[in-house]
């Protein structure tokens, strides 16, 4: 999505996306995680403030992750940064079960965690528990979650700029008065923000929206193939489709290919991950542009934000992570095949200067 994360890198995208969003399997119990052992961290030079000067700090990560490797990378970045900070991170993942996420959040509050990070989720489901956490004095940082609870720190991808970046490419490719399709789902914070930019872009370019379909499930990409295929059967003359979450984009790509329209229909997505890069650079792929943040870098930055909040050094109520536009042509011209190569080619993805201090060992991505 924010993988919304939907999320979003992020499922990241996003998010999920961000979003973001619904998961690929059902989780059982909370698990202790030490992070990606391959991740390196820069050395901290400053004196650790309280509570980090007294040993291990207990933090809970309550996730509503979705399908795809965006969410896996987001989680790996968060775990690696937690390990570098000396944080004992307990991870809960509801994976598409909203009731379970509320229960997970309640368990996190009662676990004695000094801070809780909430990665995606429906506000109506988790709002009461967020209120309880703040009232109990627990520091709370949310990622891609809309909340009215005072005292909660909000972190998110800049979803408006993300959508605008890829839609600018779409407008350049399609021109004015084009017939277009749209694959999206309402109700997720990141996707709703991307939707607002979509609507204004459609109007500004006098596009004709032929269809809107989409759903989020425990297998979002696969389950959207028949929806998009049916829409393309009725509207095979569209020249572009916007699917602003990478799992939605993957399903759209498969549908376009199944209908043998890859030479006529271009797909424009959002979020970026290893799988997304492979999808975009595959032979005859119609996915020509996306925009996103580095999900690993975002996960790490969210943990650093929570650390600064715990130390009383954040001094702000929100942190936003900028997105970067990425085209198929760029990936192919640089022979980019994975996120490591993309990070080297696009330094703008690096968030090492976001939410940091001299006492924090920043994880390298």
């Amino acid at each position: 999505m924010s993988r919304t994360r939907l999320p979003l890198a992020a499922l990241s995208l996003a998010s999920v996306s961000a979003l973001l969003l619904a998961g690929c399997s059902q989780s059982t119990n909370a698990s202790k995680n030490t992070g990606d052992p391959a991740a390196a961290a820069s050395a901290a030079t400053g004196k650790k403030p309280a509570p980090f000067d007294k040993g291990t700090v207990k933090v809970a990560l309550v996730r509503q992750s979705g399908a795809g490797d965006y969410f896996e990378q987001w989680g790996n970045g968060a775990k690696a940064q937690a390990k570098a900070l000396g944080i004992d991170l307990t991870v809960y993942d509801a994976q598409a079960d909203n009731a379970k996420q509320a229960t997970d959040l309640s368990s996190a509050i009662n676990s004695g965690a000094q801070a809780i990070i909430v990665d995606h989720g429906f506000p109506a489901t988790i709002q009461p528990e967020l209120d309880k956490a703040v009232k109990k004095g627990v520091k709370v940082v949310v990622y891609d979650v809309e909340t009215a609870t005072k005292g909660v720190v909000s972190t998110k991808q800049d979803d408006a700029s993300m959508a605008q970046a890829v839609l600018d490419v779409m407008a350049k490719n399609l021109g004015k008065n084009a017939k277009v399709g749209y694959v999206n789902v309402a109700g997720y914070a990141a996707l709703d923000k991307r939707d607002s930019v979509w609507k204004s872009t459609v109007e500004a370019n006098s596009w004709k929206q032929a269809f809107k379909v989409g759903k989020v499930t425990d297998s979002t990409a696969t389950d959207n193939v028949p929806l998009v295929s049916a829409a393309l059967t009725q509207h095979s003359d569209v020249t572009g489709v916007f699917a602003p979450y990478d799992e939605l984009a993957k399903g759209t790509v498969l549908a376009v290919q199944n209908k043998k329209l890859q030479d006529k229909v271009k797909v424009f997505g959002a979020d970026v991950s290893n799988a997304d890069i492979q999808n975009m650079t595959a032979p005859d792929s119609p996915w020509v542009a996306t925009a996103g943040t580095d999900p690993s870098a975002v996960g790490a930055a969210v943990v650093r934000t929570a650390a600064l909040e715990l130390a009383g050094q954040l001094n702000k109520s929100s942190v936003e992570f900028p997105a970067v536009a990425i085209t198929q042509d760029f990936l192919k011209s640089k022979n980019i095949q994975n996120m490591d190569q993309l990070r080297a080619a696009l330094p703008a993805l690096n968030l090492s200067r976001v939410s940091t201090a001299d006492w924090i060992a920043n994880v390298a991505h």
Side-chain angles (χ1 to χ4, degrees):
M1 114 224 62
S2 285
R3 294 159 120 318
T4 58
R5 133 164 94 235
L6 160 320
L8 330 84
L11 201 200
S12 354
L13 347 76
S15 185
V16 246
S17 179
L19 72 310
L20 219 346
L21 303 168
C24 57
S25 65
Q26 199 67 14
S27 67
T28 52
N29 299 318
S31 60
K32 294 290 182 69
N33 293 274
T34 57
D36 181 359
S42 61
T45 58
K47 182 180 179 181
K48 291 183 179 180
F52 295 92
D53 60 344
K54 296 178 176 64
T56 301
V57 174
K58 191 172 183 179
V59 176
L61 171 58
V62 181
R63 307 192 73 190
Q64 182 71 289
S65 73
D69 65 344
Y70 178 94
F71 287 97
E72 180 180 357
Q73 291 181 54
W74 195 105
N76 286 341
K79 294 170 197 173
Q81 184 64 73
K83 181 179 179 181
L85 278 163
I87 288 174
D88 177 11
L89 187 70
T90 300
V91 180
Y92 304 77
D93 197 343
Q95 295 186 339
D97 188 334
N98 295 322
K100 185 178 185 305
Q101 189 180 25
T103 300
D104 287 346
L105 188 47
S106 178
S107 297
I109 294 169
N110 296 325
S111 72
Q114 294 161 269
I116 295 174
I117 298 169
V118 180
D119 172 28
H120 294 101
F122 281 101
T125 304
I126 60 178
Q127 187 73 57
E129 298 302 325
L130 293 178
D131 293 340
K132 291 177 186 176
V134 172
K135 187 175 181 179
K136 192 173 179 178
V138 179
K139 299 296 184 182
V140 179
V141 174
V142 300
Y143 176 70
D144 263 352
V145 175
E146 294 293 334
T147 175
T149 301
K150 292 183 178 179
V152 170
V153 175
S154 173
T155 66
K156 57 187 176 182
Q157 296 177 123
D158 187 346
D159 288 292
S161 72
M162 178 185 291
Q164 193 63 66
V166 72
L167 286 171
D168 284 347
V169 178
M170 186 171 178
K172 185 176 180 180
N173 273 261
L174 303 186
K176 300 284 187 178
N177 303 304
K179 189 173 182 180
V180 296
Y182 187 36
V183 184
N184 200 2
V185 182
Y188 297 95
L191 295 185
D192 289 343
K193 290 171 186 174
R194 298 172 196 183
D195 177 68
S196 295
V197 179
W198 165 254
K199 289 175 179 175
S200 62
T201 304
V202 169
E203 182 178 358
N205 289 280
S206 301
W207 288 342
K208 301 173 181 64
Q209 182 176 306
F211 63 82
K212 179 185 177 182
V213 296
K215 64 180 177 180
V216 170
T217 68
D218 60 357
S219 187
T220 298
T222 301
D223 290 343
N224 276 277
V225 174
L227 298 179
V228 181
S229 292
L232 290 172
T233 297
Q234 291 184 299
H235 306 285
S236 60
D237 56 342
V238 298
T239 56
V241 180
F242 182 46
Y245 164 41
D246 57 354
E247 292 303 304
L248 295 174
K250 290 174 187 175
T252 302
V253 166
L254 285 172
V256 170
Q257 292 173 327
N258 288 347
K259 302 298 291 185
K260 302 187 185 304
L261 293 170
Q262 55 264 43
D263 293 333
K264 299 179 180 179
V265 180
K266 297 178 180 179
V267 177
F268 301 84
D271 305 314
V272 64
S273 69
N274 286 328
D276 298 339
I277 291 170
Q278 293 165 14
N279 202 312
M280 291 179 70
T281 57
D284 299 321
S285 173
W287 190 350
V288 298
T290 191
T293 55
D294 177 354
S296 294
V298 170
V302 172
V303 171
R304 294 197 301 272
T305 300
L308 288 172
E309 177 68 0
L310 267 172
Q313 296 182 4
L314 185 62
N315 301 318
K316 60 177 70 174
S317 60
S318 65
V319 178
E320 203 163 58
F321 310 120
V324 180
I326 303 155
T327 66
Q328 183 187 70
D329 288 343
F330 175 80
L331 295 174
K332 289 184 174 181
S333 68
K334 300 292 184 180
N335 195 29
I336 294 170
Q337 301 174 17
N338 55 51
M339 285 298 301
D340 287 340
Q341 294 171 347
L342 182 61
R343 292 178 187 112
L346 276 180
L349 289 170
N350 189 342
L351 299 176
S352 61
R353 295 186 179 182
V354 178
S355 292
T356 191
D358 61 4
W359 56 271
I360 294 177
N362 278 25
V363 171
H365 302 283

